[in-house]
Amino acid sequence: METTSIHHDNRRVRPRRGACRRAVAGVAGLAALSLAACGGGSGGSADSDEAVDYPDQEITFVVPFSAGGPTDTVTRLIAEPMSKELGQQIVVQNVEGAGGTVAAGQVATAESDGYTVLIHHIGMSTAPALYPDLPYKPLEDFKPVGLITDVPMTIVARKDFEPETLEDLIAYVKENADSVTLANAGIGAASQLCGLLIEQAVGVDLTEVPYDGTGPALTDLVGGQVDFMCDQTTNTASQIQAEKIKGYAVTTPEPVEALPDLPTTAEAGLPDVEVGVWHGLYVPADTPDAVVEKLTEALAVALEDQNVIDKMADLGTAPVPPEDVTPEAHTSKLEEQIDLWTPIIEDAGVTGT
Ligand code: ASP
């Protein structure tokens, strides 16, 4: 079954309404829907009948970064088997901006009927410390559906960047802090967090170049427009293998099978730069548990799909173990990660707007 389609525009996801049902005429209808067109409604979440029928129309997966980037890649990998399992189309919608917080803010106030699902990563746990006026509360405004994968990051540079090893890079950025450029996907992105850890570990403050996602950032890195960045193996592995960019290290305690030549940051001189980019699915907080359960079950089936496992391995990652594909494990992870990153970010004094 053909399941996904791409939307590059930044249209808002459907806001929360009452008993209004989702348009079946296609995604274009989503943006055009108005309260009047839906016949109004009394507000509140989907009722239990809807949970029994769920899903009876297409589902939108909201990706908080650009199409073609690492989060988008993971989304498309799982969307196809989930769609098959749920028996409905899944539309992928990219809502970029402010390091992923624009999309999360929109899904937080979307209708809680299970037809608008957010995929997000570690940024869900760093945003509260990074954005003083964050318009949502990760632990209160969403129901976690389950974890998906924990993706290693790589430290990578344009092919002709002078440093050859991570050790060289450390020395080079110390010497040339005024001129080196560091790409990322905005404050709240995993690339920004990893870059921040590098700056802290090396003791430099570099010129950051923010993009709407590391998809376009990587294009510029390959094109030589920026010097280096941190990004997930799901985006960088094939470019490192093809020698279109230079890879210095992976940010995990263990080496990554798909990138056997790269040392870990601990081995190569930056032991404090350790970060895994965990991803999960979320729905608005009032979504009925029976609906969440169906999404969780479909996610679990998708993560056992051999094609998903193989493709993730090629991209340097793997599905999380089955016991982590639950709302409970996902909630614990989110709580634990907020506690971990909040003091680190507060100490660094970084804020978004
Ligand atoms: N995950 C982001 C993306 O898909 C990048 C990031 O978080 O750094 O572009």
Side-chain angles (χ1 to χ4, degrees), residues 91-238:
V91 172
V92 177
Q93 187 179 357
N94 299 86
V95 179
E96 301 105 338
T101 60
V102 172
Q106 289 187 14
V107 175
T109 55
E111 196 165 355
S112 41
D113 55 6
Y115 292 103
T116 305
V117 178
L118 174 73
I119 180 166
H120 209 333
H121 62 25
I122 191 168
M124 200 66 159
S125 62
T126 56
L130 289 167
Y131 288 88
D133 298 322
L134 193 69
Y136 57 89
K137 292 192 169 58
L139 288 165
E140 290 171 28
D141 294 338
F142 297 93
K143 261 187 193 163
V145 171
L147 293 165
I148 305 167
T149 180
D150 196 343
V151 185
M153 295 199 96
T154 47
I155 302 174
V156 291
R158 63 181 160 82
K159 202 178 165 204
D160 54 358
F161 196 41
E162 198 172 301
E164 289 298 338
T165 63
L166 190 66
E167 210 184 348
D168 293 348
L169 178 73
I170 297 167
Y172 188 89
V173 295
K174 275 187 185 158
E175 280 284 304
N176 301 281
D178 289 347
S179 60
V180 170
T181 51
L182 172 62
N184 65 34
I187 292 180
S191 45
Q192 183 262 338
L193 177 67
C194 179
L196 174 70
L197 296 179
I198 295 176
E199 287 178 301
Q200 279 186 324
V202 178
V204 289
D205 190 7
L206 303 174
T207 303
E208 295 181 21
V209 184
Y211 293 80
D212 276 341
T214 49
L218 186 66
T219 304
D220 271 9
L221 198 73
V222 172
Q225 277 91 34
V226 280
D227 291 331
F228 84 110
M229 70 171 173
C230 262
D231 195 17
Q232 297 160 64
T233 57
T234 36
N235 208 30
T236 61
S238 61

Side-chain angles (χ1 to χ4, degrees), residues 52-123:
V52 172
D53 293 342
Y54 178 85
D56 61 3
Q57 51 200 294
E58 71 184 20
I59 301 166
T60 298
F61 276 14
V62 178
V63 176
F65 297 100
S66 306
T71 313
D72 187 73
T73 297
V74 167
T75 308
R76 281 161 208 283
L77 264 181
I78 61 165
E80 191 167 336
M82 282 188 74
S83 166
K84 220 182 253 170
E85 182 63 20
L86 291 164
Q88 288 294 336
Q89 269 213 333
I90 293 177
V91 172
V92 177
Q93 187 179 357
N94 299 86
V95 179
E96 301 105 338
T101 60
V102 172
Q106 289 187 14
V107 175
T109 55
E111 196 165 355
S112 41
D113 55 6
Y115 292 103
T116 305
V117 178
L118 174 73
I119 180 166
H120 209 333
H121 62 25
I122 191 168

